[in-house]
Amino acid sequence: MIRFKHLRIRSQLAILFVLVLLPFLASEAITIGYFSRSLKETSERELTNVVRHLLRAVELQSQNVAHGPLPFYEASSSDPERPGKDVLHFLTEVFLSFRVGKTGYPYVIDSKGTLIIHPAKTGQNIIDSLDSKGFAFIRAITARAGNLKAGEVGTIRYPWRNVEEGEKIPRMKVLKYMYFKKWDWIVAAGAYEEEVYGVLDRIELYMTAFFAASVLLVVLFTLAMNRLIARPVVNIAQAAERMAEGDLLSQVSMPVGGHEIAVLSRSFNWMADQVREKTENLEAAVEERTRALKESRERYRNLVENTVDGIVTADLKGVITFANSGMEGMLGVGREKIIGRPIWGIYEGGIDQARKIMHVLRKEGNVTSYEMQLLGPDGAIPIRTSASILRDAEGHEMGTLGIFSDITKVKQLEGDLKKAQAHLIQSMKLRALGDLVAGVAHEINNPLMASTTMLHVLDKELQEQGPSLLPRVEILRRCNHRITKIVNHLREFSRQTIMEMEVIDPNLPVDNALLISAQQLMNNGIQIEKELTEGLPAVLADPNQLEQVFLDLIANARDALENVDGDRRLKAATGLTDLDGQPAVGICISDSGPGIPKEIQDKIFEPFYTTKDVGKGTGLGLSICYGIIEEHRGRIDVDSSPGEGTTFTIRLPLADLSVNGDAKQEDGHEL
């Protein structure tokens, strides 16, 4: 499509003049159109008024006739004394005295198509008359007339050729009519449209002539502007083209006068002189700039090629357009096998992974520290990538840039750290077991003592009482069951385990921790309150490690309540909460102890930080708890005020159950 700025000046001038003239012509056309419509409406209104006046005359004359309707057209021929003769005669004179345009006239017809009053066909039935297209317009008039409301005027248009006048070409007629129900009369008046609207033809002729004159004026004005403006400007443009081709001696002739074109010509010649002066040192400047650009490009190439990170660019379709040597080493193939491949071809997650990255790019504008895996020569390579959208000078997107850092060693170190953490957790379990030995022994001795006593009584009374021993046997069974449950749970707790995630009831590890520590807490005079909400959603967790967290929090609460006089309470509660705006399960461990000062609350999760006496704590408990909860993608918070106790709140995300019942993490990967 040719743009306006690419047109020649004469064409631009013509377009500008037309654009200036168009609003005027448009307003003129709108005005004439509005005037034409108004004139048509006025002309048709006059035709309507004729019909209304004639109907009014008929209504007035009908008051002089007592009977009706009557076949008035017979009164003059068969019965001179018949009522209505004078009325008919009067109305006939009135109707025949009217003319519409040159050839139009009014007439009266009844609903059967018989002409009551007509200049030449009174008494004839024309119900089957057809217009020039074969349409039975009289039947249409008689059919519609009876449905007209009082005072309503009907309109019909039809082509008609007057054979009596020798017409060969039909012309369009317009007819207005009203219905007089009392006599079953249809009062009508019609004329050819060209007679009604004759003045419009003259207006359209004047408009056409005026428009043609306006166009001619534009053409003449454009030609004049071409001679006065376009031609000198073309001469300047041709001289500029010669200069662009290397003819720096090119000049333009100076027009006579002091007008703008002459000033432009002088300015052009002055500019040509300046260009000749400036180009004398241009080659040296270009060589210097080229050398600097080459050095800059070489520095950039060395920087990109020698970095250990992989650098890749891709176009808007995701096809790789560049890869550096770091990317070659990472993937184990030459760049000729990398360039041209789709970017998702090097992702272990394929196109789904690419879509996730592009989603973040579209939303945030860049991606930083995004961890994923590439397909390397020996398997998946864990990497951390940063990506951004490439744009051209105008800000339009032209592709993407990705920088990939191999974090294999980082992952190995993280694995080693997790192993060390597992050893620390095991050590904490052993410490917890040591603290719980006294309570567990007492817990086991109580049911064993009851069991021994009941067995002794049972030996004496077995033969004497018979069935009455059944309740005591049931007591003995419950005691033994309790012993078995406690011992088995201690065995399970003391066994060293790795992270084994499963879908569990969040109340289960809380119950187990309270079961193990209940007796020891009661021995210390601590009252236990449980508010565990039933029917909570499941969480994805390692029950042993969660149990370790709750046991450690309970042990800390026990130590905090050790020197408290009076009310000693520990409360465990569960319920629904939120985690980063998402539904979650909350577990609270609260105590009525002295609380934690505000100034150290941000330090309690730091490794080896402790407020306990030497030999009573290592400072690793809360740090390990914090790490375990983070591994579970949760969060642990503390809320404490001096003298008001302490509450630790753990928030765990809900387990995402797939259709087949398998648990999935929040990012959608199956465990």
Side-chain angles (χ1 to χ4, degrees), residues 81 85 104 122 152 171 207 246 252 269 271 294 405 524 558 650:
E81 302 300 328
K85 176 181 178 181
T122 301
E152 185 179 358
R171 294 181 292 169
M207 178 180 175
V252 295
N269 290 335
M271 180 193 68
K294 185 177 180 180
S405 301
N524 284 272
R558 181 201 63 206
I650 296 171

Side-chain angles (χ1 to χ4, degrees), residues 381-393:
I381 304 172
I383 60 100
R384 183 178 290 117
T385 182
S386 298
S388 60
I389 297 177
L390 296 176
R391 302 180 184 275
D392 59 18

Side-chain angles (χ1 to χ4, degrees), residues 225-485:
M225 291 299 101
N226 175 58
R227 183 176 182 85
L228 296 175
I229 299 176
R231 187 175 298 173
V233 172
V234 169
N235 292 335
I236 297 175
Q238 290 174 348
E241 290 178 358
R242 291 193 298 271
M243 286 187 64
E245 293 173 356
D247 183 9
L248 300 181
L249 299 176
S250 179
Q251 296 282 318
V252 295
S253 57
M254 298 294 294
V256 179
H259 52 78
E260 290 81 355
I261 300 298
V263 174
L264 179 61
S265 299
R266 287 194 295 271
S267 299
F268 179 84
N269 290 335
W270 177 83
M271 180 193 68
D273 295 337
Q274 294 295 316
V275 169
R276 283 192 297 273
E277 293 177 6
K278 297 295 183 182
T279 53
E280 293 178 358
N281 298 321
L282 183 59
E283 290 184 0
V286 170
E287 289 179 0
E288 177 64 23
R289 181 61 178 167
T290 302
R291 184 186 60 79
L293 183 61
K294 185 177 180 180
E295 291 178 356
S296 175
R297 185 175 299 173
E298 187 65 21
R299 286 195 299 270
Y300 166 77
R301 190 188 66 81
N302 291 333
L303 176 65
V304 172
E305 288 297 330
N306 295 327
T307 180
V308 295
D309 292 335
I311 300 177
V312 169
T313 62
D315 61 18
L316 293 176
K317 295 182 179 180
V319 178
I320 298 175
T321 57
F322 171 79
N324 71 338
S325 57
M327 203 68 202
E328 290 179 313
M330 194 176 297
L331 298 180
V333 294
R335 69 184 66 189
E336 69 278 358
K337 294 184 178 180
I338 301 176
I339 296 174
R341 294 177 59 187
I343 187 70
W344 56 84
I346 65 174
Y347 295 164
E348 186 186 45
I351 193 169
D352 291 337
Q353 184 67 66
R355 287 171 177 168
K356 289 180 182 179
I357 295 175
M358 283 305 300
H359 175 73
V360 178
L361 277 176
R362 298 291 186 196
K363 184 178 180 181
E364 305 292 340
N366 59 72
V367 174
T368 57
S369 300
Y370 186 91
E371 293 190 7
M372 52 184 288
Q373 291 184 327
L374 297 183
L375 296 174
D378 300 322
I381 304 172
I383 60 100
R384 183 178 290 117
T385 182
S386 298
S388 60
I389 297 177
L390 296 176
R391 302 180 184 275
D392 59 18
E394 297 180 355
H396 300 142
E397 293 183 7
M398 56 183 295
T400 56
L401 168 68
I403 301 176
F404 302 91
S405 301
D406 190 341
I407 58 173
T408 302
K409 293 183 179 180
V410 174
K411 290 296 182 181
Q412 290 175 350
L413 291 175
E414 289 180 354
D416 295 340
L417 182 61
K418 288 183 179 179
K419 291 180 181 179
Q421 186 182 37
H423 287 296
L424 288 174
I425 291 173
Q426 182 64 17
S427 298
M428 293 299 297
K429 287 182 179 180
L430 295 176
R431 173 183 173 269
L433 282 175
D435 292 340
L436 294 173
V437 165
V440 170
H442 184 77
E443 189 73 20
I444 293 175
N445 284 333
N446 284 340
L448 284 178
M449 185 179 297
S451 176
T452 303
T453 302
M454 294 307 299
L455 285 174
H456 179 71
V457 175
L458 187 63
D459 288 339
K460 292 182 178 181
E461 300 179 354
L462 182 61
Q463 295 179 353
E464 299 175 3
Q465 299 184 14
S468 63
L469 295 177
L470 292 177
R472 298 180 181 180
V473 173
E474 182 63 26
I475 293 174
L476 182 60
R477 185 180 296 109
R478 286 199 299 268
C479 290
N480 289 335
H481 177 72
R482 187 178 181 191
I483 293 171
T484 303
K485 184 176 181 180

